[in-house]
Amino acid sequence: MSEEFIPRQNIQWFPGHMTKTLRMMEADIRQVDGVLQLLDARIPLSSLNPEIERITAGKPHLYVLNKADLADPEITAQWIRYFRSVGAGCVSINARQKGGASAVKGQILKELSALLEKREKKGMGGAKLRIMVVGIPNVGKSTFINTFAGAARAKAADRPGVTRGKQWVSVEGFDLLDMPGVLWRKFDSLEVATNLAFIGSIKDDVLDIEELAMGLLSQVRRIYPEKIRDRYKLSEEELAGSAWELLETIGRKRGMLVSGGEINTERAAIMLVDEFRASKWGRISLEKPPARQDEEEDYD
Ligand SMILES: Nc1nc2c(ncn2[C@@H]2O[C@H](COP(=O)(O)OP(=O)(O)OP(=O)(O)O)[C@@H](O)[C@H]2O)c(=O)[nH]1
Ligand SMILES: [Mg+2]
């Protein structure tokens, strides 16, 4: 198998509304009973924002591995075990489906059972639970809230940066706070930034789409070679080419040519990234939980 291609582009996207959101989060965290942090099931660790972790650390916390319908189910199960093994509440869902919202509801009630009991004793059993919903852009926060509420109450769309200000959504028993997605002020890890770009949490305008497509092809070929081979009907020899050759081969097979017979690699790259995000390659997890050296040992 040929060498791996790692995109080296400097990814940076931290518009003003993200700075504002962090400030809002810091102010509003005091008024909520708990936090739902949505992670992308395909990259649970890369989608876990340390700044959000820091701000929300003092509150009961539940991790929701969203878009589990796009991820490898076996690896998602490993991630749930991983989070639970470090004492964190975790559930995997598809936020577009009612069942996902009910699963989260059950977990919230479990996580906050002590608080509910206390309120009941004080005769305040009817008070709504106030939950802040946080995460990276495009992870499905607004979609989740809409499914939970059973109606389209918050604006949701398939691009990052849709929610621009906070919005309370009131449903039976709960007040949910929808927040804009937040990224990293500055990425220390090229891998994290690239993973976030793969899944569409970074605005495509700031990305080199050909580098992104080559990185994605290279990474997925390493972990699920058959998925790329089958989707684009490649021979073993074609599959083993360099990332650039692979991009060209797929572009040629799809008839993406410019005048003079050259391959339109930019169009091919856009198509590849779109197809990956729409799970046309199949269900893919780009990250696995860290392996445990010793069952007794704790994770860092
Ligand atoms: N396949 C799949 N798609 C989902 C899921 N949840 C959300 N989506 C889609 O992901 C896209 C982004 O959803 P939003 O709810 O707008 O995401 P958000 O986190 O509110 O994004 P920002 O407001 O930009 O931070 C939409 O196209 C949703 O339909 C899921 O569980 N599975
Ligand atoms: Mg939103």
Side-chain angles (χ1 to χ4, degrees), residues 140-173:
K141 300 175 291 300
S142 302
T143 303
F144 167 77
I145 288 176
N146 289 337
T147 306
F148 197 96
R153 305 273 285 274
K155 192 174 163 201
D158 196 9
R159 59 194 152 79
V162 172
T163 304
R164 283 303 168 90
K166 68 174 181 184
Q167 182 187 353
W168 282 101
V169 173
S170 197
V171 292
E172 213 198 319

PDB file of all heavy atoms in Angstrom, residues 140-173:
ATOM      1  N   GLY A 140     -25.204  18.780  15.171  1.00  0.00           N
ATOM      2  CA  GLY A 140     -26.609  18.367  15.264  1.00  0.00           C
ATOM      3  C   GLY A 140     -27.339  18.859  16.505  1.00  0.00           C
ATOM      4  O   GLY A 140     -28.376  18.304  16.873  1.00  0.00           O
ATOM      5  N   LYS A 141     -26.830  19.929  17.132  1.00  0.00           N
ATOM      6  CA  LYS A 141     -27.452  20.460  18.358  1.00  0.00           C
ATOM      7  C   LYS A 141     -28.890  20.912  18.117  1.00  0.00           C
ATOM      8  O   LYS A 141     -29.803  20.542  18.849  1.00  0.00           O
ATOM      9  CB  LYS A 141     -26.627  21.637  18.913  1.00  0.00           C
ATOM     10  CG  LYS A 141     -25.200  21.276  19.268  1.00  0.00           C
ATOM     11  CD  LYS A 141     -24.386  22.476  19.701  1.00  0.00           C
ATOM     12  CE  LYS A 141     -24.089  23.482  18.593  1.00  0.00           C
ATOM     13  NZ  LYS A 141     -23.339  22.946  17.446  1.00  0.00           N
ATOM     14  N   SER A 142     -29.083  21.729  17.079  1.00  0.00           N
ATOM     15  CA  SER A 142     -30.416  22.271  16.816  1.00  0.00           C
ATOM     16  C   SER A 142     -31.361  21.159  16.350  1.00  0.00           C
ATOM     17  O   SER A 142     -32.540  21.131  16.742  1.00  0.00           O
ATOM     18  CB  SER A 142     -30.340  23.387  15.772  1.00  0.00           C
ATOM     19  OG  SER A 142     -29.464  24.402  16.233  1.00  0.00           O
ATOM     20  N   THR A 143     -30.854  20.245  15.551  1.00  0.00           N
ATOM     21  CA  THR A 143     -31.660  19.101  15.099  1.00  0.00           C
ATOM     22  C   THR A 143     -32.121  18.284  16.298  1.00  0.00           C
ATOM     23  O   THR A 143     -33.297  17.890  16.391  1.00  0.00           O
ATOM     24  CB  THR A 143     -30.817  18.193  14.170  1.00  0.00           C
ATOM     25  OG1 THR A 143     -30.345  18.984  13.080  1.00  0.00           O
ATOM     26  CG2 THR A 143     -31.611  17.012  13.654  1.00  0.00           C
ATOM     27  N   PHE A 144     -31.195  18.041  17.228  1.00  0.00           N
ATOM     28  CA  PHE A 144     -31.540  17.282  18.424  1.00  0.00           C
ATOM     29  C   PHE A 144     -32.658  17.983  19.198  1.00  0.00           C
ATOM     30  O   PHE A 144     -33.636  17.350  19.603  1.00  0.00           O
ATOM     31  CB  PHE A 144     -30.301  17.113  19.327  1.00  0.00           C
ATOM     32  CG  PHE A 144     -30.654  16.630  20.693  1.00  0.00           C
ATOM     33  CD1 PHE A 144     -30.959  15.293  20.898  1.00  0.00           C
ATOM     34  CD2 PHE A 144     -30.762  17.517  21.757  1.00  0.00           C
ATOM     35  CE1 PHE A 144     -31.353  14.845  22.160  1.00  0.00           C
ATOM     36  CE2 PHE A 144     -31.146  17.074  23.007  1.00  0.00           C
ATOM     37  CZ  PHE A 144     -31.440  15.735  23.211  1.00  0.00           C
ATOM     38  N   ILE A 145     -32.519  19.285  19.390  1.00  0.00           N
ATOM     39  CA  ILE A 145     -33.527  20.037  20.156  1.00  0.00           C
ATOM     40  C   ILE A 145     -34.882  19.970  19.451  1.00  0.00           C
ATOM     41  O   ILE A 145     -35.918  19.775  20.090  1.00  0.00           O
ATOM     42  CB  ILE A 145     -33.050  21.498  20.371  1.00  0.00           C
ATOM     43  CG1 ILE A 145     -31.898  21.483  21.386  1.00  0.00           C
ATOM     44  CG2 ILE A 145     -34.191  22.400  20.835  1.00  0.00           C
ATOM     45  CD1 ILE A 145     -31.247  22.821  21.630  1.00  0.00           C
ATOM     46  N   ASN A 146     -34.879  20.074  18.135  1.00  0.00           N
ATOM     47  CA  ASN A 146     -36.140  20.001  17.384  1.00  0.00           C
ATOM     48  C   ASN A 146     -36.802  18.631  17.534  1.00  0.00           C
ATOM     49  O   ASN A 146     -38.018  18.536  17.717  1.00  0.00           O
ATOM     50  CB  ASN A 146     -35.899  20.308  15.908  1.00  0.00           C
ATOM     51  CG  ASN A 146     -35.581  21.781  15.684  1.00  0.00           C
ATOM     52  OD1 ASN A 146     -35.930  22.629  16.504  1.00  0.00           O
ATOM     53  ND2 ASN A 146     -34.915  22.078  14.585  1.00  0.00           N
ATOM     54  N   THR A 147     -36.007  17.575  17.461  1.00  0.00           N
ATOM     55  CA  THR A 147     -36.579  16.232  17.606  1.00  0.00           C
ATOM     56  C   THR A 147     -37.096  16.043  19.031  1.00  0.00           C
ATOM     57  O   THR A 147     -38.178  15.499  19.244  1.00  0.00           O
ATOM     58  CB  THR A 147     -35.518  15.149  17.286  1.00  0.00           C
ATOM     59  OG1 THR A 147     -34.980  15.424  15.995  1.00  0.00           O
ATOM     60  CG2 THR A 147     -36.118  13.759  17.293  1.00  0.00           C
ATOM     61  N   PHE A 148     -36.325  16.530  19.993  1.00  0.00           N
ATOM     62  CA  PHE A 148     -36.710  16.434  21.402  1.00  0.00           C
ATOM     63  C   PHE A 148     -38.031  17.162  21.626  1.00  0.00           C
ATOM     64  O   PHE A 148     -38.908  16.691  22.353  1.00  0.00           O
ATOM     65  CB  PHE A 148     -35.607  17.069  22.254  1.00  0.00           C
ATOM     66  CG  PHE A 148     -35.651  16.705  23.706  1.00  0.00           C
ATOM     67  CD1 PHE A 148     -34.863  15.675  24.193  1.00  0.00           C
ATOM     68  CD2 PHE A 148     -36.463  17.398  24.588  1.00  0.00           C
ATOM     69  CE1 PHE A 148     -34.884  15.343  25.541  1.00  0.00           C
ATOM     70  CE2 PHE A 148     -36.490  17.072  25.936  1.00  0.00           C
ATOM     71  CZ  PHE A 148     -35.706  16.038  26.420  1.00  0.00           C
ATOM     72  N   ALA A 149     -38.180  18.321  20.981  1.00  0.00           N
ATOM     73  CA  ALA A 149     -39.386  19.138  21.156  1.00  0.00           C
ATOM     74  C   ALA A 149     -40.540  18.637  20.289  1.00  0.00           C
ATOM     75  O   ALA A 149     -41.679  19.045  20.485  1.00  0.00           O
ATOM     76  CB  ALA A 149     -39.071  20.591  20.811  1.00  0.00           C
ATOM     77  N   GLY A 150     -40.219  17.777  19.318  1.00  0.00           N
ATOM     78  CA  GLY A 150     -41.270  17.278  18.425  1.00  0.00           C
ATOM     79  C   GLY A 150     -41.736  18.308  17.418  1.00  0.00           C
ATOM     80  O   GLY A 150     -42.801  18.170  16.814  1.00  0.00           O
ATOM     81  N   ALA A 151     -40.963  19.357  17.211  1.00  0.00           N
ATOM     82  CA  ALA A 151     -41.315  20.395  16.236  1.00  0.00           C
ATOM     83  C   ALA A 151     -40.072  21.192  15.878  1.00  0.00           C
ATOM     84  O   ALA A 151     -39.121  21.243  16.658  1.00  0.00           O
ATOM     85  CB  ALA A 151     -42.354  21.343  16.836  1.00  0.00           C
ATOM     86  N   ALA A 152     -40.079  21.807  14.679  1.00  0.00           N
ATOM     87  CA  ALA A 152     -38.921  22.602  14.251  1.00  0.00           C
ATOM     88  C   ALA A 152     -38.925  23.941  14.968  1.00  0.00           C
ATOM     89  O   ALA A 152     -39.581  24.882  14.553  1.00  0.00           O
ATOM     90  CB  ALA A 152     -38.960  22.793  12.745  1.00  0.00           C
ATOM     91  N   ARG A 153     -38.189  24.020  16.062  1.00  0.00           N
ATOM     92  CA  ARG A 153     -38.185  25.249  16.864  1.00  0.00           C
ATOM     93  C   ARG A 153     -36.888  26.031  16.656  1.00  0.00           C
ATOM     94  O   ARG A 153     -36.853  27.228  16.826  1.00  0.00           O
ATOM     95  CB  ARG A 153     -38.324  24.893  18.345  1.00  0.00           C
ATOM     96  CG  ARG A 153     -39.549  24.027  18.651  1.00  0.00           C
ATOM     97  CD  ARG A 153     -40.776  24.870  18.884  1.00  0.00           C
ATOM     98  NE  ARG A 153     -40.685  25.485  20.194  1.00  0.00           N
ATOM     99  CZ  ARG A 153     -41.083  24.887  21.322  1.00  0.00           C
ATOM    100  NH1 ARG A 153     -41.629  23.686  21.291  1.00  0.00           N
ATOM    101  NH2 ARG A 153     -40.970  25.506  22.472  1.00  0.00           N
ATOM    102  N   ALA A 154     -35.815  25.326  16.355  1.00  0.00           N
ATOM    103  CA  ALA A 154     -34.523  25.984  16.157  1.00  0.00           C
ATOM    104  C   ALA A 154     -34.086  25.758  14.713  1.00  0.00           C
ATOM    105  O   ALA A 154     -34.365  24.709  14.126  1.00  0.00           O
ATOM    106  CB  ALA A 154     -33.492  25.390  17.114  1.00  0.00           C
ATOM    107  N   LYS A 155     -33.413  26.741  14.134  1.00  0.00           N
ATOM    108  CA  LYS A 155     -32.971  26.618  12.743  1.00  0.00           C
ATOM    109  C   LYS A 155     -31.819  25.601  12.658  1.00  0.00           C
ATOM    110  O   LYS A 155     -30.854  25.671  13.427  1.00  0.00           O
ATOM    111  CB  LYS A 155     -32.494  27.991  12.263  1.00  0.00           C
ATOM    112  CG  LYS A 155     -32.282  28.059  10.786  1.00  0.00           C
ATOM    113  CD  LYS A 155     -31.961  29.491  10.362  1.00  0.00           C
ATOM    114  CE  LYS A 155     -31.357  29.477   8.975  1.00  0.00           C
ATOM    115  NZ  LYS A 155     -30.583  30.683   8.697  1.00  0.00           N
ATOM    116  N   ALA A 156     -31.960  24.664  11.708  1.00  0.00           N
ATOM    117  CA  ALA A 156     -30.908  23.651  11.521  1.00  0.00           C
ATOM    118  C   ALA A 156     -30.652  23.481  10.030  1.00  0.00           C
ATOM    119  O   ALA A 156     -31.577  23.536   9.227  1.00  0.00           O
ATOM    120  CB  ALA A 156     -31.357  22.320  12.117  1.00  0.00           C
ATOM    121  N   ALA A 157     -29.388  23.327   9.639  1.00  0.00           N
ATOM    122  CA  ALA A 157     -29.054  23.099   8.232  1.00  0.00           C
ATOM    123  C   ALA A 157     -27.696  22.447   8.121  1.00  0.00           C
ATOM    124  O   ALA A 157     -26.900  22.491   9.058  1.00  0.00           O
ATOM    125  CB  ALA A 157     -29.049  24.416   7.473  1.00  0.00           C
ATOM    126  N   ASP A 158     -27.446  21.854   6.946  1.00  0.00           N
ATOM    127  CA  ASP A 158     -26.226  21.084   6.773  1.00  0.00           C
ATOM    128  C   ASP A 158     -25.020  21.941   6.398  1.00  0.00           C
ATOM    129  O   ASP A 158     -24.450  21.795   5.329  1.00  0.00           O
ATOM    130  CB  ASP A 158     -26.431  19.989   5.730  1.00  0.00           C
ATOM    131  CG  ASP A 158     -25.317  18.953   5.834  1.00  0.00           C
ATOM    132  OD1 ASP A 158     -24.542  19.028   6.808  1.00  0.00           O
ATOM    133  OD2 ASP A 158     -25.217  18.094   4.957  1.00  0.00           O
ATOM    134  N   ARG A 159     -24.670  22.866   7.271  1.00  0.00           N
ATOM    135  CA  ARG A 159     -23.414  23.620   7.153  1.00  0.00           C
ATOM    136  C   ARG A 159     -23.075  24.155   8.531  1.00  0.00           C
ATOM    137  O   ARG A 159     -23.974  24.311   9.375  1.00  0.00           O
ATOM    138  CB  ARG A 159     -23.524  24.739   6.115  1.00  0.00           C
ATOM    139  CG  ARG A 159     -24.600  25.731   6.405  1.00  0.00           C
ATOM    140  CD  ARG A 159     -24.893  26.620   5.187  1.00  0.00           C
ATOM    141  NE  ARG A 159     -26.277  27.047   5.246  1.00  0.00           N
ATOM    142  CZ  ARG A 159     -26.732  28.019   6.012  1.00  0.00           C
ATOM    143  NH1 ARG A 159     -25.903  28.687   6.768  1.00  0.00           N
ATOM    144  NH2 ARG A 159     -28.003  28.337   6.039  1.00  0.00           N
ATOM    145  N   PRO A 160     -21.783  24.390   8.791  1.00  0.00           N
ATOM    146  CA  PRO A 160     -21.413  24.854  10.132  1.00  0.00           C
ATOM    147  C   PRO A 160     -21.734  26.338  10.309  1.00  0.00           C
ATOM    148  O   PRO A 160     -21.680  27.103   9.348  1.00  0.00           O
ATOM    149  CB  PRO A 160     -19.903  24.617  10.172  1.00  0.00           C
ATOM    150  CG  PRO A 160     -19.455  24.669   8.744  1.00  0.00           C
ATOM    151  CD  PRO A 160     -20.614  24.186   7.919  1.00  0.00           C
ATOM    152  N   GLY A 161     -22.066  26.733  11.530  1.00  0.00           N
ATOM    153  CA  GLY A 161     -22.295  28.155  11.821  1.00  0.00           C
ATOM    154  C   GLY A 161     -23.721  28.601  11.568  1.00  0.00           C
ATOM    155  O   GLY A 161     -23.957  29.767  11.269  1.00  0.00           O
ATOM    156  N   VAL A 162     -24.694  27.702  11.661  1.00  0.00           N
ATOM    157  CA  VAL A 162     -26.095  28.051  11.391  1.00  0.00           C
ATOM    158  C   VAL A 162     -26.692  28.821  12.578  1.00  0.00           C
ATOM    159  O   VAL A 162     -27.283  29.879  12.410  1.00  0.00           O
ATOM    160  CB  VAL A 162     -26.931  26.789  11.067  1.00  0.00           C
ATOM    161  CG1 VAL A 162     -28.411  27.127  10.981  1.00  0.00           C
ATOM    162  CG2 VAL A 162     -26.449  26.172   9.766  1.00  0.00           C
ATOM    163  N   THR A 163     -26.535  28.281  13.786  1.00  0.00           N
ATOM    164  CA  THR A 163     -27.059  28.966  14.972  1.00  0.00           C
ATOM    165  C   THR A 163     -26.098  30.088  15.342  1.00  0.00           C
ATOM    166  O   THR A 163     -24.901  29.871  15.483  1.00  0.00           O
ATOM    167  CB  THR A 163     -27.185  27.958  16.140  1.00  0.00           C
ATOM    168  OG1 THR A 163     -28.004  26.877  15.697  1.00  0.00           O
ATOM    169  CG2 THR A 163     -27.823  28.599  17.361  1.00  0.00           C
ATOM    170  N   ARG A 164     -26.622  31.312  15.464  1.00  0.00           N
ATOM    171  CA  ARG A 164     -25.745  32.454  15.712  1.00  0.00           C
ATOM    172  C   ARG A 164     -25.905  33.065  17.099  1.00  0.00           C
ATOM    173  O   ARG A 164     -25.072  33.786  17.587  1.00  0.00           O
ATOM    174  CB  ARG A 164     -25.966  33.540  14.649  1.00  0.00           C
ATOM    175  CG  ARG A 164     -25.305  33.208  13.329  1.00  0.00           C
ATOM    176  CD  ARG A 164     -23.811  32.980  13.535  1.00  0.00           C
ATOM    177  NE  ARG A 164     -23.158  32.393  12.385  1.00  0.00           N
ATOM    178  CZ  ARG A 164     -22.617  33.102  11.405  1.00  0.00           C
ATOM    179  NH1 ARG A 164     -22.648  34.411  11.436  1.00  0.00           N
ATOM    180  NH2 ARG A 164     -22.045  32.493  10.397  1.00  0.00           N
ATOM    181  N   GLY A 165     -27.012  32.822  17.754  1.00  0.00           N
ATOM    182  CA  GLY A 165     -27.196  33.337  19.114  1.00  0.00           C
ATOM    183  C   GLY A 165     -27.844  32.245  19.932  1.00  0.00           C
ATOM    184  O   GLY A 165     -28.287  31.238  19.388  1.00  0.00           O
ATOM    185  N   LYS A 166     -27.896  32.436  21.267  1.00  0.00           N
ATOM    186  CA  LYS A 166     -28.518  31.387  22.076  1.00  0.00           C
ATOM    187  C   LYS A 166     -30.035  31.441  21.943  1.00  0.00           C
ATOM    188  O   LYS A 166     -30.600  32.481  21.609  1.00  0.00           O
ATOM    189  CB  LYS A 166     -28.094  31.531  23.537  1.00  0.00           C
ATOM    190  CG  LYS A 166     -28.639  32.770  24.208  1.00  0.00           C
ATOM    191  CD  LYS A 166     -28.296  32.745  25.686  1.00  0.00           C
ATOM    192  CE  LYS A 166     -28.873  33.980  26.358  1.00  0.00           C
ATOM    193  NZ  LYS A 166     -28.515  34.079  27.765  1.00  0.00           N
ATOM    194  N   GLN A 167     -30.672  30.298  22.174  1.00  0.00           N
ATOM    195  CA  GLN A 167     -32.136  30.234  22.092  1.00  0.00           C
ATOM    196  C   GLN A 167     -32.647  29.196  23.078  1.00  0.00           C
ATOM    197  O   GLN A 167     -32.210  28.043  23.062  1.00  0.00           O
ATOM    198  CB  GLN A 167     -32.545  29.838  20.655  1.00  0.00           C
ATOM    199  CG  GLN A 167     -34.049  29.790  20.450  1.00  0.00           C
ATOM    200  CD  GLN A 167     -34.465  29.233  19.089  1.00  0.00           C
ATOM    201  OE1 GLN A 167     -33.627  28.986  18.204  1.00  0.00           O
ATOM    202  NE2 GLN A 167     -35.752  29.008  18.923  1.00  0.00           N
ATOM    203  N   TRP A 168     -33.570  29.637  23.962  1.00  0.00           N
ATOM    204  CA  TRP A 168     -34.193  28.675  24.869  1.00  0.00           C
ATOM    205  C   TRP A 168     -35.365  28.025  24.159  1.00  0.00           C
ATOM    206  O   TRP A 168     -36.165  28.704  23.522  1.00  0.00           O
ATOM    207  CB  TRP A 168     -34.725  29.382  26.120  1.00  0.00           C
ATOM    208  CG  TRP A 168     -33.673  29.720  27.133  1.00  0.00           C
ATOM    209  CD1 TRP A 168     -33.099  30.949  27.326  1.00  0.00           C
ATOM    210  CD2 TRP A 168     -33.073  28.829  28.080  1.00  0.00           C
ATOM    211  NE1 TRP A 168     -32.180  30.871  28.342  1.00  0.00           N
ATOM    212  CE2 TRP A 168     -32.143  29.597  28.828  1.00  0.00           C
ATOM    213  CE3 TRP A 168     -33.219  27.474  28.370  1.00  0.00           C
ATOM    214  CZ2 TRP A 168     -31.367  29.039  29.849  1.00  0.00           C
ATOM    215  CZ3 TRP A 168     -32.450  26.932  29.388  1.00  0.00           C
ATOM    216  CH2 TRP A 168     -31.527  27.699  30.117  1.00  0.00           C
ATOM    217  N   VAL A 169     -35.468  26.708  24.259  1.00  0.00           N
ATOM    218  CA  VAL A 169     -36.625  25.990  23.709  1.00  0.00           C
ATOM    219  C   VAL A 169     -37.275  25.246  24.871  1.00  0.00           C
ATOM    220  O   VAL A 169     -36.644  24.423  25.536  1.00  0.00           O
ATOM    221  CB  VAL A 169     -36.204  25.015  22.589  1.00  0.00           C
ATOM    222  CG1 VAL A 169     -37.388  24.168  22.145  1.00  0.00           C
ATOM    223  CG2 VAL A 169     -35.627  25.779  21.404  1.00  0.00           C
ATOM    224  N   SER A 170     -38.546  25.583  25.098  1.00  0.00           N
ATOM    225  CA  SER A 170     -39.240  25.039  26.245  1.00  0.00           C
ATOM    226  C   SER A 170     -40.126  23.866  25.821  1.00  0.00           C
ATOM    227  O   SER A 170     -40.916  23.993  24.895  1.00  0.00           O
ATOM    228  CB  SER A 170     -40.090  26.159  26.845  1.00  0.00           C
ATOM    229  OG  SER A 170     -40.449  25.800  28.136  1.00  0.00           O
ATOM    230  N   VAL A 171     -39.944  22.727  26.464  1.00  0.00           N
ATOM    231  CA  VAL A 171     -40.798  21.563  26.201  1.00  0.00           C
ATOM    232  C   VAL A 171     -41.248  20.996  27.542  1.00  0.00           C
ATOM    233  O   VAL A 171     -40.785  21.452  28.588  1.00  0.00           O
ATOM    234  CB  VAL A 171     -40.074  20.471  25.375  1.00  0.00           C
ATOM    235  CG1 VAL A 171     -39.801  20.937  23.976  1.00  0.00           C
ATOM    236  CG2 VAL A 171     -38.770  20.043  26.014  1.00  0.00           C
ATOM    237  N   GLU A 172     -42.105  20.018  27.498  1.00  0.00           N
ATOM    238  CA  GLU A 172     -42.616  19.488  28.756  1.00  0.00           C
ATOM    239  C   GLU A 172     -41.481  18.962  29.640  1.00  0.00           C
ATOM    240  O   GLU A 172     -40.721  18.088  29.228  1.00  0.00           O
ATOM    241  CB  GLU A 172     -43.610  18.375  28.459  1.00  0.00           C
ATOM    242  CG  GLU A 172     -44.712  18.321  29.504  1.00  0.00           C
ATOM    243  CD  GLU A 172     -45.423  16.993  29.456  1.00  0.00           C
ATOM    244  OE1 GLU A 172     -45.659  16.513  28.337  1.00  0.00           O
ATOM    245  OE2 GLU A 172     -45.720  16.459  30.536  1.00  0.00           O
ATOM    246  N   GLY A 173     -41.362  19.538  30.821  1.00  0.00           N
ATOM    247  CA  GLY A 173     -40.356  19.071  31.774  1.00  0.00           C
ATOM    248  C   GLY A 173     -38.950  19.626  31.575  1.00  0.00           C
ATOM    249  O   GLY A 173     -38.089  19.448  32.422  1.00  0.00           O
TER     250      GLY A 173
END
